[in-house]
Amino acid sequence: MFDFSPDADLPKPELYRQLVQSCDAITSDEPDAIANMANVAALMAEFLPALNWAGFYRMVDGELVLGPFVGRPACIRIPLGQGVCGTAARDGRTKLVEDVHAFPGHIACDAASRSELVVPVIRGGKVLAVIDLDSPDLARFDAEDAAGIEALAQLLSPRI
Ligand code: SME
């Protein structure tokens, strides 16, 4: 059994340090990408407060395809350049959206979502996947969240 006992009251940098450490521990000896993404999705959902969706879209034949996640059922395929995920994947850059209603082309998978953070996982200059976090709270994510998930993406780059 894994019991990482996250404390959501920790300052964000420390919370993300512990999240990354836990993801490191749970993925370090496992070569299967899907298993690793599934456990990391579960850990993100356990560690990070005020989320309604946490998971992955994988790059498959030039489009994003739904990967392991925690949350409500979601749209399965997202073309590059569409929505927050497709924009982050096309640009190879983090997208932090404080109000999804104000983001042109936002793809609503769960009507409750109000803010979103998407971070690409890059290996050898190519986007392998994106990590997607949704929150029902407006402006839930800030630069500390982006830095924490970028550190996680870097850890996962050789493991998914
Ligand atoms: N909102 C995303 C789609 C994925 S769901 O949030 C899980 C987007 O605009 O790309």
Side-chain angles (χ1 to χ4, degrees), residues 53 57 74-75 78 82-86 105-109 116 132 134:
W53 205 90
Y57 279 86
C75 46
I78 301 177
Q82 288 193 16
V84 186
C85 292
H106 168 254
I107 300 165
C109 292
E116 183 158 0
D132 182 17
D134 285 19

Side-chain angles (χ1 to χ4, degrees), residues 1 16 19 22-23 33 44 46 57 70 84 87 92 101 103 116 128 133-134 140 152-153 155-158:
M1 190 183 88
Y16 280 103
L19 171 62
S22 302
C23 291
M44 292 192 297
E46 277 200 17
Y57 279 86
V70 176
V84 186
T87 302
H101 295 170
F103 185 91
E116 183 158 0
L128 293 180
L133 300 179
D134 285 19
R140 155 69 180 80
L152 180 57
L155 171 85
L156 294 177
S157 163

Side-chain angles (χ1 to χ4, degrees), residues 129-147:
V130 298
I131 299 173
D132 182 17
L133 300 179
D134 285 19
S135 172
D137 297 347
L138 206 55
R140 155 69 180 80
F141 306 104
D142 61 17
E144 289 184 334
D145 295 288

